[in-house]
Amino acid sequence: MPFHKYPPKIWEALKLKQGIYTRLPKHYLKSLEQKEPTPVHWKPLGIKYRANPNTGLKERVQDVPIPIYYPPESQDGLWGGEGWISGFRYANNDKMSTRLYKTWKTQLFNRELYSEILDHKFTIAVTARTLDLIDAAYGFDFYILQTPKEDLNSKLGMDLKRAMLLRLARKDTELYPNDSSKREKVYNKFKRFEIPEEEAEWVGLSLEEAVEKQRLLEHKEPDPLFKTCVDKLVKELTIQKLSEPHVTEKN
């Protein structure tokens, strides 16, 4: 007999169907849906069967993704989808020798990246692949804005995306305050990424941050007792004054 009513694998999904989680915005709940990231460390064949080149017989293709570990520090940088891969290697490159456990780690570089929208330089740990993706997107801002959440795989990247989208939605005049023409040029350049401010505020928030934000939005400070008494007294005096007969003097 099972110990739990529901299997632990679906606990997170069930949690979103009760309490304050049900009152989170629909666009935020949709962003929590798990999607497969773009393969980085392996190339999927995209087929289930193929002909054996020697026998010509149909055989099944093993299209299995490589398990990748993303350490906590990957959330503080932009690794471009890369992570750590664990496996084994042969000692002295001899297949007859003992296998040794090995972890292949990403090579990181600290680089200064400039954001036109935020008008700020950020020193971020990146990989060579990230730099190639930024070049392919024609700029740091374009890379952050057009790369989906599952491919960024970075809390820092999603925080930067939220800050950029908020500035685009608000048309903040703090951007280039002494050069309005340059400011308008930047806003027009990234106009296709604009979304309503109400949606931009939720982009990239973790589930804990979103719940706290929703709690603060729903929280209402109780009215002080003296204010309630004063309002009641004013209302009673108004009624009393209206109920008194109005006397007019004749000249």
Side-chain angles (χ1 to χ4, degrees):
M1 184 176 180
F3 292 102
H4 307 290
K5 185 177 180 180
Y6 302 103
K9 290 184 178 180
I10 65 171
W11 283 359
E12 287 296 324
L14 292 176
K15 185 171 68 173
L16 300 177
K17 296 183 179 181
Q18 57 186 354
I20 193 173
Y21 298 99
T22 59
R23 301 193 295 275
L24 294 174
K26 292 183 179 179
H27 57 82
Y28 176 77
L29 293 174
K30 187 177 180 181
S31 69
L32 295 179
E33 297 176 359
Q34 296 293 333
K35 298 180 181 179
E36 289 296 326
T38 303
V40 176
H41 295 284
W42 66 292
K43 293 182 179 180
L45 298 174
I47 56 176
K48 292 184 179 181
Y49 300 93
R50 66 180 175 185
N52 188 298
N54 298 324
T55 63
L57 299 177
K58 185 178 181 181
E59 63 181 10
R60 189 165 186 165
V61 176
Q62 293 187 3
D63 206 359
V64 182
I66 298 176
I68 304 171
Y69 171 69
Y70 300 101
E73 51 264 33
S74 67
Q75 299 300 309
D76 300 328
L78 296 173
W79 289 18
E82 294 188 31
W84 294 1
I85 300 176
S86 299
F88 296 90
R89 68 175 181 85
Y90 292 109
N92 302 321
N93 292 326
D94 184 6
K95 292 187 177 181
M96 302 301 293
S97 62
T98 306
R99 292 195 309 168
L100 303 176
Y101 184 80
K102 179 178 174 61
T103 299
W104 286 267
K105 299 183 179 181
T106 54
Q107 187 178 12
L108 299 176
F109 312 92
N110 286 326
R111 293 291 183 267
E112 277 194 355
L113 302 172
Y114 175 71
S115 169
E116 290 184 81
I117 299 175
L118 303 178
D119 189 24
H120 187 79
K121 287 184 178 180
F122 299 92
T123 302
I124 303 175
V126 299
T127 62
R129 185 174 189 272
T130 305
L131 298 177
D132 292 339
L133 291 174
I134 292 174
D135 291 340
Y138 300 102
F140 177 61
D141 292 327
F142 280 114
Y143 167 69
I144 293 293
L145 290 172
Q146 69 188 19
T147 305
K149 177 182 177 180
E150 59 273 11
D151 288 342
L152 273 179
N153 194 23
S154 168
K155 185 68 171 68
L156 172 65
M158 294 306 296
D159 289 343
L160 288 172
K161 178 179 286 192
R162 181 172 64 254
M164 293 177 185
L165 291 174
L166 283 173
R167 174 155 284 187
L168 291 175
R170 294 169 179 169
K171 294 290 192 295
D172 198 347
T173 56
E174 292 182 3
L175 177 65
Y176 308 119
N178 300 324
D179 194 346
S180 59
S181 60
K182 186 177 181 180
R183 180 172 63 246
E184 289 301 321
K185 185 178 179 181
V186 171
Y187 286 147
N188 291 331
K189 182 178 180 180
F190 301 96
K191 188 175 182 179
R192 62 189 176 98
F193 298 105
E194 286 184 22
I195 60 174
E197 184 178 349
E198 295 76 17
E199 293 185 22
E201 291 178 344
W202 296 84
V203 171
L205 293 180
S206 64
L207 187 58
E208 292 77 13
E209 292 172 339
V211 169
E212 180 63 17
K213 181 179 178 65
Q214 183 67 23
R215 187 188 66 81
L216 293 175
L217 290 174
E218 295 177 357
H219 180 67
K220 184 179 180 182
E221 291 289 344
D223 292 332
L225 183 59
F226 81 91
K227 185 178 180 182
T228 305
C229 295
V230 169
D231 292 341
K232 184 178 179 181
L233 179 61
V234 170
K235 187 176 180 181
E236 290 177 354
L237 292 175
T238 303
I239 295 174
Q240 182 180 357
K241 185 177 180 181
L242 292 174
S243 62
E244 292 178 353
H246 182 66
V247 179
T248 55
E249 296 181 358
K250 293 183 178 180
N251 294 330

Coordinates of all heavy atoms in Angstrom, one line a residue, residues 160-227:
L160 N 17.8 40.5 -15.3 CA 18.2 41.5 -16.3 C 17.0 41.7 -17.3 O 16.7 42.8 -17.7 CB 19.5 41.1 -17.0 CG 20.7 41.2 -16.2 CD1 21.9 40.7 -17.0 CD2 21.0 42.7 -15.8
K161 N 16.4 40.6 -17.7 CA 15.3 40.7 -18.7 C 14.1 41.4 -18.1 O 13.5 42.3 -18.7 CB 14.9 39.3 -19.1 CG 13.7 39.3 -20.0 CD 13.3 37.9 -20.4 CE 14.2 37.3 -21.4 NZ 13.7 36.0 -22.0
R162 N 13.8 41.2 -16.8 CA 12.7 41.9 -16.1 C 13.0 43.4 -16.0 O 12.1 44.2 -16.3 CB 12.5 41.3 -14.7 CG 11.3 42.0 -14.0 CD 11.0 41.3 -12.7 NE 12.1 41.4 -11.7 CZ 12.8 40.3 -11.4 NH1 12.6 39.2 -12.0 NH2 13.8 40.5 -10.5
A163 N 14.3 43.8 -15.7 CA 14.6 45.2 -15.6 C 14.5 45.9 -17.0 O 14.0 47.0 -17.1 CB 16.0 45.3 -15.0
M164 N 15.0 45.2 -18.0 CA 14.9 45.7 -19.4 C 13.4 45.9 -19.8 O 13.0 47.0 -20.4 CB 15.6 44.8 -20.4 CG 17.1 44.8 -20.2 SD 17.9 43.6 -21.3 CE 19.6 43.7 -20.8
L165 N 12.6 44.9 -19.6 CA 11.2 45.0 -20.0 C 10.4 46.1 -19.2 O 9.6 46.7 -19.8 CB 10.5 43.6 -19.8 CG 11.0 42.5 -20.7 CD1 10.3 41.2 -20.3 CD2 10.6 42.8 -22.2
L166 N 10.8 46.2 -18.0 CA 10.1 47.3 -17.2 C 10.5 48.7 -17.7 O 9.6 49.6 -17.8 CB 10.5 47.2 -15.7 CG 9.8 46.1 -14.9 CD1 10.4 45.9 -13.5 CD2 8.3 46.3 -14.8
R167 N 11.7 48.8 -18.0 CA 12.1 50.1 -18.6 C 11.5 50.4 -19.9 O 11.1 51.6 -20.2 CB 13.7 50.2 -18.7 CG 14.2 51.5 -19.3 CD 15.6 51.8 -18.9 NE 15.6 52.4 -17.6 CZ 16.7 52.9 -17.0 NH1 17.9 52.9 -17.7 NH2 16.7 53.4 -15.8
L168 N 11.4 49.4 -20.7 CA 10.7 49.6 -22.0 C 9.2 49.9 -21.8 O 8.6 50.7 -22.6 CB 10.9 48.3 -22.9 CG 12.3 48.0 -23.4 CD1 12.3 46.7 -24.1 CD2 12.8 49.1 -24.3
A169 N 8.6 49.2 -20.9 CA 7.2 49.4 -20.6 C 6.9 50.8 -20.0 O 5.9 51.4 -20.4 CB 6.6 48.4 -19.7
R170 N 7.8 51.3 -19.2 CA 7.5 52.6 -18.5 C 8.0 53.8 -19.3 O 7.7 54.9 -18.9 CB 8.2 52.5 -17.1 CG 7.6 51.5 -16.2 CD 8.4 51.4 -14.9 NE 7.9 50.4 -14.0 CZ 8.5 49.9 -12.9 NH1 9.7 50.3 -12.7 NH2 7.9 49.1 -12.1
K171 N 8.8 53.5 -20.3 CA 9.5 54.6 -21.1 C 10.2 55.6 -20.1 O 10.0 56.8 -20.1 CB 8.4 55.4 -21.9 CG 7.8 54.5 -23.0 CD 8.8 54.3 -24.1 CE 8.1 53.7 -25.4 NZ 7.5 52.4 -25.2
D172 N 11.0 55.0 -19.3 CA 11.7 55.7 -18.2 C 12.5 56.8 -18.8 O 13.4 56.6 -19.7 CB 12.6 54.8 -17.4 CG 12.9 55.3 -16.1 OD1 12.7 56.5 -15.9 OD2 13.4 54.6 -15.2
T173 N 12.3 58.1 -18.3 CA 13.1 59.2 -18.8 C 14.5 59.3 -18.1 O 15.3 60.2 -18.4 CB 12.3 60.5 -18.5 OG1 12.0 60.6 -17.1 CG2 11.1 60.6 -19.3
E174 N 14.8 58.4 -17.1 CA 16.1 58.4 -16.5 C 17.1 57.9 -17.5 O 18.3 58.0 -17.2 CB 16.1 57.6 -15.3 CG 15.2 58.2 -14.1 CD 15.3 57.3 -12.9 OE1 16.0 56.3 -12.9 OE2 14.6 57.7 -11.9
L175 N 16.7 57.2 -18.5 CA 17.6 56.7 -19.6 C 18.1 57.9 -20.4 O 17.2 58.5 -21.1 CB 17.0 55.6 -20.4 CG 17.8 55.1 -21.6 CD1 19.0 54.3 -21.0 CD2 17.0 54.2 -22.4
Y176 N 19.4 58.2 -20.4 CA 19.9 59.3 -21.2 C 19.1 60.6 -21.0 O 18.5 61.1 -21.9 CB 20.0 59.0 -22.7 CG 20.6 57.7 -23.0 CD1 19.9 56.7 -23.7 CD2 22.0 57.5 -22.7 CE1 20.5 55.5 -24.0 CE2 22.6 56.3 -23.0 CZ 21.9 55.3 -23.6 OH 22.5 54.1 -23.9
P177 N 19.1 61.1 -19.7 CA 18.2 62.3 -19.4 C 18.6 63.5 -20.2 O 17.7 64.4 -20.4 CB 18.4 62.5 -17.9 CG 19.7 61.8 -17.6 CD 19.9 60.7 -18.6
N178 N 19.8 63.6 -20.7 CA 20.3 64.8 -21.4 C 20.2 64.6 -22.9 O 20.6 65.5 -23.6 CB 21.7 65.2 -21.0 CG 21.8 65.4 -19.5 OD1 20.9 66.0 -18.9 ND2 22.9 65.1 -18.9
D179 N 19.8 63.5 -23.3 CA 19.7 63.2 -24.8 C 18.4 62.5 -25.1 O 18.4 61.3 -25.2 CB 20.9 62.4 -25.2 CG 21.1 62.4 -26.7 OD1 20.2 62.8 -27.4 OD2 22.2 62.0 -27.2
S180 N 17.4 63.2 -25.3 CA 16.0 62.6 -25.5 C 16.0 61.9 -26.9 O 15.3 60.9 -27.0 CB 14.9 63.7 -25.5 OG 15.2 64.7 -26.5
S181 N 16.7 62.4 -27.9 CA 16.7 61.7 -29.2 C 17.3 60.4 -29.1 O 16.8 59.4 -29.7 CB 17.4 62.6 -30.2 OG 18.8 62.8 -29.9
K182 N 18.4 60.2 -28.4 CA 19.1 58.9 -28.2 C 18.2 58.0 -27.4 O 18.1 56.8 -27.7 CB 20.4 59.1 -27.5 CG 21.2 57.9 -27.4 CD 22.6 58.1 -26.8 CE 23.4 56.8 -26.7 NZ 24.7 57.1 -26.1
R183 N 17.4 58.5 -26.4 CA 16.5 57.7 -25.6 C 15.4 57.2 -26.5 O 15.1 56.0 -26.4 CB 16.0 58.5 -24.5 CG 15.0 57.8 -23.6 CD 14.6 58.6 -22.4 NE 13.9 59.8 -22.7 CZ 14.3 61.0 -22.5 NH1 15.5 61.2 -21.9 NH2 13.6 62.1 -22.8
E184 N 14.8 58.0 -27.3 CA 13.8 57.5 -28.2 C 14.3 56.5 -29.2 O 13.6 55.6 -29.6 CB 13.1 58.7 -28.9 CG 12.3 59.6 -28.0 CD 11.2 58.9 -27.4 OE1 10.5 58.0 -28.1 OE2 10.9 59.1 -26.2
K185 N 15.5 56.7 -29.7 CA 16.1 55.8 -30.6 C 16.3 54.4 -30.0 O 16.0 53.4 -30.7 CB 17.5 56.3 -31.1 CG 18.1 55.5 -32.2 CD 19.5 56.1 -32.6 CE 20.1 55.2 -33.7 NZ 21.4 55.8 -34.1
V186 N 16.7 54.3 -28.7 CA 16.8 53.1 -28.0 C 15.5 52.4 -27.9 O 15.3 51.2 -28.1 CB 17.5 53.2 -26.7 CG1 17.5 52.0 -25.9 CG2 19.0 53.7 -26.9
Y187 N 14.5 53.2 -27.4 CA 13.1 52.6 -27.2 C 12.5 52.1 -28.5 O 11.9 51.0 -28.5 CB 12.2 53.6 -26.6 CG 12.5 53.9 -25.1 CD1 12.3 55.1 -24.6 CD2 13.0 52.9 -24.3 CE1 12.6 55.4 -23.2 CE2 13.3 53.1 -23.0 CZ 13.1 54.3 -22.4 OH 13.3 54.6 -21.1
N188 N 12.7 52.8 -29.6 CA 12.2 52.3 -30.9 C 13.0 51.1 -31.4 O 12.4 50.2 -32.1 CB 12.3 53.4 -31.9 CG 11.4 54.6 -31.6 OD1 10.3 54.4 -31.0 ND2 11.8 55.8 -32.1
K189 N 14.2 51.0 -31.1 CA 15.1 49.9 -31.5 C 14.6 48.5 -30.9 O 14.6 47.5 -31.5 CB 16.5 50.1 -31.1 CG 17.5 49.0 -31.5 CD 18.9 49.4 -31.1 CE 19.9 48.3 -31.5 NZ 21.3 48.7 -31.1
F190 N 14.1 48.6 -29.6 CA 13.7 47.4 -28.9 C 12.1 47.4 -28.7 O 11.6 46.7 -27.8 CB 14.4 47.3 -27.5 CG 15.9 47.2 -27.6 CD1 16.6 48.4 -27.5 CD2 16.5 46.0 -27.8 CE1 18.0 48.3 -27.5 CE2 17.9 45.9 -27.9 CZ 18.6 47.1 -27.8
K191 N 11.4 48.1 -29.6 CA 10.0 48.2 -29.4 C 9.3 46.9 -29.5 O 8.2 46.7 -28.9 CB 9.5 49.2 -30.4 CG 8.0 49.6 -30.2 CD 7.6 50.7 -31.2 CE 6.1 51.1 -31.0 NZ 5.7 52.1 -31.9
R192 N 9.8 46.0 -30.3 CA 9.1 44.7 -30.6 C 9.1 43.8 -29.3 O 8.3 42.8 -29.3 CB 9.7 44.0 -31.8 CG 11.1 43.6 -31.6 CD 11.7 43.1 -32.9 NE 13.1 42.7 -32.9 CZ 13.6 41.5 -32.7 NH1 12.8 40.5 -32.5 NH2 14.9 41.3 -32.7
F193 N 9.9 44.1 -28.3 CA 9.9 43.3 -27.1 C 9.0 43.9 -26.0 O 9.0 43.3 -24.9 CB 11.4 43.2 -26.6 CG 12.3 42.6 -27.5 CD1 13.3 43.3 -28.2 CD2 12.3 41.2 -27.7 CE1 14.1 42.7 -29.1 CE2 13.2 40.6 -28.6 CZ 14.1 41.3 -29.3
E194 N 8.3 45.0 -26.3 CA 7.5 45.6 -25.3 C 6.3 44.7 -24.9 O 5.7 44.1 -25.7 CB 7.0 47.0 -25.7 CG 8.1 48.1 -25.8 CD 7.5 49.4 -26.1 OE1 6.2 49.6 -26.0 OE2 8.2 50.3 -26.6
I195 N 6.1 44.7 -23.6 CA 4.9 44.0 -23.0 C 4.3 44.9 -21.9 O 5.0 45.8 -21.5 CB 5.3 42.6 -22.4 CG1 6.3 42.7 -21.3 CG2 5.8 41.7 -23.5 CD1 6.6 41.4 -20.6
P196 N 3.1 44.7 -21.5 CA 2.5 45.5 -20.5 C 3.3 45.5 -19.2 O 3.9 44.4 -18.9 CB 1.1 45.0 -20.3 CG 0.8 44.3 -21.6 CD 2.1 43.7 -22.1
E197 N 3.3 46.6 -18.5 CA 4.1 46.6 -17.2 C 3.6 45.6 -16.2 O 4.4 45.1 -15.4 CB 4.0 48.1 -16.6 CG 4.8 48.3 -15.4 CD 4.7 49.7 -14.8 OE1 4.1 50.5 -15.5 OE2 5.1 49.9 -13.7
E198 N 2.3 45.3 -16.2 CA 1.7 44.4 -15.3 C 2.3 43.0 -15.5 O 2.5 42.2 -14.5 CB 0.2 44.3 -15.4 CG -0.5 45.6 -15.0 CD -0.4 46.6 -16.0 OE1 0.0 46.3 -17.2 OE2 -0.7 47.8 -15.7
E199 N 2.7 42.6 -16.7 CA 3.3 41.3 -17.0 C 4.8 41.4 -16.8 O 5.4 40.4 -16.3 CB 3.0 40.9 -18.5 CG 1.6 40.6 -18.8 CD 1.4 40.1 -20.2 OE1 2.4 39.6 -20.8 OE2 0.2 40.2 -20.7
A200 N 5.4 42.5 -17.1 CA 6.9 42.6 -17.0 C 7.3 42.5 -15.5 O 8.4 42.0 -15.3 CB 7.4 44.0 -17.6
E201 N 6.5 42.9 -14.6 CA 6.8 42.9 -13.2 C 7.0 41.4 -12.7 O 7.7 41.2 -11.7 CB 5.8 43.6 -12.4 CG 5.7 45.1 -12.5 CD 4.6 45.7 -11.7 OE1 3.7 45.0 -11.3 OE2 4.6 46.9 -11.5
W202 N 6.4 40.5 -13.4 CA 6.5 39.1 -12.9 C 7.5 38.2 -13.7 O 7.7 37.1 -13.3 CB 5.1 38.4 -13.1 CG 4.0 39.1 -12.3 CD1 3.3 40.2 -12.5 CD2 3.6 38.6 -11.0 NE1 2.4 40.5 -11.5 CE2 2.6 39.5 -10.5 CE3 3.9 37.5 -10.2 CZ2 1.9 39.4 -9.3 CZ3 3.3 37.4 -8.9 CH2 2.3 38.3 -8.5
V203 N 8.1 38.8 -14.7 CA 9.1 38.0 -15.5 C 10.3 37.6 -14.7 O 10.9 38.5 -14.0 CB 9.5 38.8 -16.7 CG1 10.6 38.1 -17.5 CG2 8.3 39.0 -17.7
G204 N 10.6 36.4 -14.7 CA 11.8 35.9 -14.0 C 11.8 35.7 -12.5 O 12.7 35.4 -11.9
L205 N 10.6 35.9 -11.9 CA 10.5 35.8 -10.5 C 10.4 34.3 -10.1 O 9.8 33.5 -10.8 CB 9.2 36.4 -9.9 CG 9.1 38.0 -10.0 CD1 7.8 38.4 -9.4 CD2 10.3 38.6 -9.3
S206 N 11.1 33.9 -9.1 CA 11.0 32.5 -8.6 C 9.6 32.3 -8.0 O 8.9 33.3 -7.7 CB 12.1 32.2 -7.6 OG 11.9 33.0 -6.4
L207 N 9.2 31.1 -7.7 CA 7.9 30.9 -7.1 C 7.7 31.5 -5.8 O 6.7 32.1 -5.4 CB 7.6 29.3 -7.1 CG 6.2 28.9 -6.7 CD1 5.2 29.5 -7.6 CD2 6.1 27.4 -6.6
E208 N 8.8 31.4 -5.0 CA 8.8 32.1 -3.6 C 8.6 33.6 -3.8 O 7.8 34.2 -3.0 CB 10.0 31.7 -2.9 CG 10.2 30.3 -2.5 CD 10.6 29.4 -3.6 OE1 11.0 30.0 -4.7 OE2 10.5 28.2 -3.5
E209 N 9.3 34.2 -4.7 CA 9.2 35.7 -4.9 C 7.8 36.0 -5.4 O 7.3 37.1 -5.0 CB 10.3 36.1 -5.9 CG 11.7 36.0 -5.3 CD 12.8 36.3 -6.4 OE1 12.4 36.2 -7.6 OE2 13.9 36.6 -6.0
A210 N 7.3 35.2 -6.3 CA 5.9 35.5 -6.8 C 4.9 35.4 -5.7 O 4.0 36.3 -5.7 CB 5.6 34.6 -8.0
V211 N 5.0 34.4 -4.9 CA 4.0 34.3 -3.8 C 4.1 35.4 -2.8 O 3.1 36.0 -2.4 CB 4.3 32.9 -3.0 CG1 3.4 32.9 -1.8 CG2 3.9 31.8 -3.9
E212 N 5.3 35.9 -2.5 CA 5.5 37.0 -1.6 C 4.9 38.3 -2.2 O 4.3 39.1 -1.6 CB 7.0 37.2 -1.3 CG 7.3 38.4 -0.3 CD 6.7 38.2 1.0 OE1 6.3 37.1 1.4 OE2 6.6 39.3 1.7
K213 N 5.1 38.5 -3.6 CA 4.6 39.6 -4.3 C 3.1 39.6 -4.2 O 2.5 40.7 -4.0 CB 5.1 39.6 -5.7 CG 4.7 40.8 -6.5 CD 5.2 40.7 -7.9 CE 4.8 41.9 -8.8 NZ 5.2 43.2 -8.3
Q214 N 2.5 38.5 -4.5 CA 1.0 38.3 -4.5 C 0.5 38.6 -3.1 O -0.6 39.2 -2.9 CB 0.6 37.0 -4.9 CG -0.9 36.7 -5.0 CD -1.5 37.6 -6.1 OE1 -0.9 38.0 -7.0 NE2 -2.8 37.8 -5.9
R215 N 1.2 38.1 -2.0 CA 0.8 38.3 -0.7 C 0.8 39.8 -0.3 O -0.2 40.3 0.3 CB 1.7 37.6 0.3 CG 1.2 37.6 1.7 CD 2.2 37.0 2.7 NE 3.4 37.8 2.7 CZ 3.5 38.9 3.5 NH1 2.5 39.3 4.2 NH2 4.7 39.6 3.5
L216 N 1.8 40.5 -0.8 CA 1.9 42.0 -0.5 C 0.8 42.7 -1.2 O 0.3 43.7 -0.7 CB 3.2 42.5 -0.9 CG 4.4 42.0 0.0 CD1 5.7 42.5 -0.6 CD2 4.3 42.4 1.4
L217 N 0.4 42.3 -2.5 CA -0.6 42.9 -3.2 C -2.0 42.7 -2.6 O -2.8 43.6 -2.6 CB -0.7 42.4 -4.6 CG 0.5 42.7 -5.6 CD1 0.4 42.0 -6.9 CD2 0.6 44.2 -5.8
E218 N -2.2 41.6 -1.9 CA -3.5 41.3 -1.3 C -3.5 41.8 0.1 O -4.6 41.9 0.7 CB -3.7 39.8 -1.3 CG -3.9 39.2 -2.6 CD -4.0 37.7 -2.6 OE1 -4.0 37.1 -1.5 OE2 -4.2 37.0 -3.6
H219 N -2.4 42.1 0.7 CA -2.4 42.6 2.1 C -2.9 44.0 2.2 O -2.6 44.9 1.4 CB -0.9 42.6 2.6 CG -0.8 43.1 4.0 ND1 -1.3 42.3 5.1 CD2 -0.3 44.2 4.6 CE1 -1.1 43.0 6.2 NE2 -0.4 44.1 5.9
K220 N -3.8 44.2 3.2 CA -4.5 45.5 3.4 C -4.3 45.8 4.9 O -4.7 45.1 5.7 CB -5.9 45.4 3.0 CG -6.6 46.8 3.1 CD -8.1 46.6 2.7 CE -8.8 48.0 2.8 NZ -10.2 47.9 2.4
E221 N -3.8 47.0 5.1 CA -3.6 47.5 6.5 C -4.9 47.8 7.1 O -5.8 48.4 6.5 CB -2.7 48.7 6.5 CG -1.3 48.5 6.1 CD -0.5 47.8 7.2 OE1 -1.0 47.7 8.3 OE2 0.6 47.2 6.8
P222 N -5.2 47.3 8.3 CA -6.5 47.6 9.0 C -6.6 49.1 9.3 O -5.6 49.8 9.6 CB -6.4 46.7 10.3 CG -4.9 46.5 10.5 CD -4.3 46.5 9.2
D223 N -7.8 49.6 9.2 CA -8.0 51.0 9.6 C -7.9 51.2 11.1 O -8.4 50.4 11.9 CB -9.4 51.4 9.1 CG -9.6 51.4 7.6 OD1 -8.5 51.6 6.9 OD2 -10.7 51.2 7.1
P224 N -7.2 52.3 11.5 CA -7.1 52.6 12.9 C -8.5 52.8 13.5 O -9.4 53.3 12.9 CB -6.2 53.8 12.9 CG -5.5 53.9 11.6 CD -6.5 53.2 10.6
L225 N -8.6 52.5 14.8 CA -9.9 52.6 15.5 C -10.3 54.0 15.6 O -11.5 54.3 15.5 CB -9.8 52.0 16.9 CG -11.1 51.9 17.7 CD1 -12.2 51.2 17.0 CD2 -10.8 51.3 19.1
F226 N -9.4 55.0 15.9 CA -9.8 56.4 16.0 C -10.4 56.9 14.7 O -11.3 57.7 14.7 CB -8.6 57.2 16.5 CG -7.6 57.6 15.4 CD1 -7.8 58.8 14.7 CD2 -6.6 56.8 15.0 CE1 -6.9 59.1 13.7 CE2 -5.7 57.1 14.0 CZ -5.9 58.3 13.3
K227 N -9.8 56.4 13.6 CA -10.3 56.9 12.3 C -11.8 56.4 12.1 O -12.6 57.2 11.6 CB -9.5 56.4 11.2 CG -9.8 56.9 9.8 CD -8.9 56.4 8.7 CE -9.3 56.9 7.3 NZ -8.4 56.4 6.3

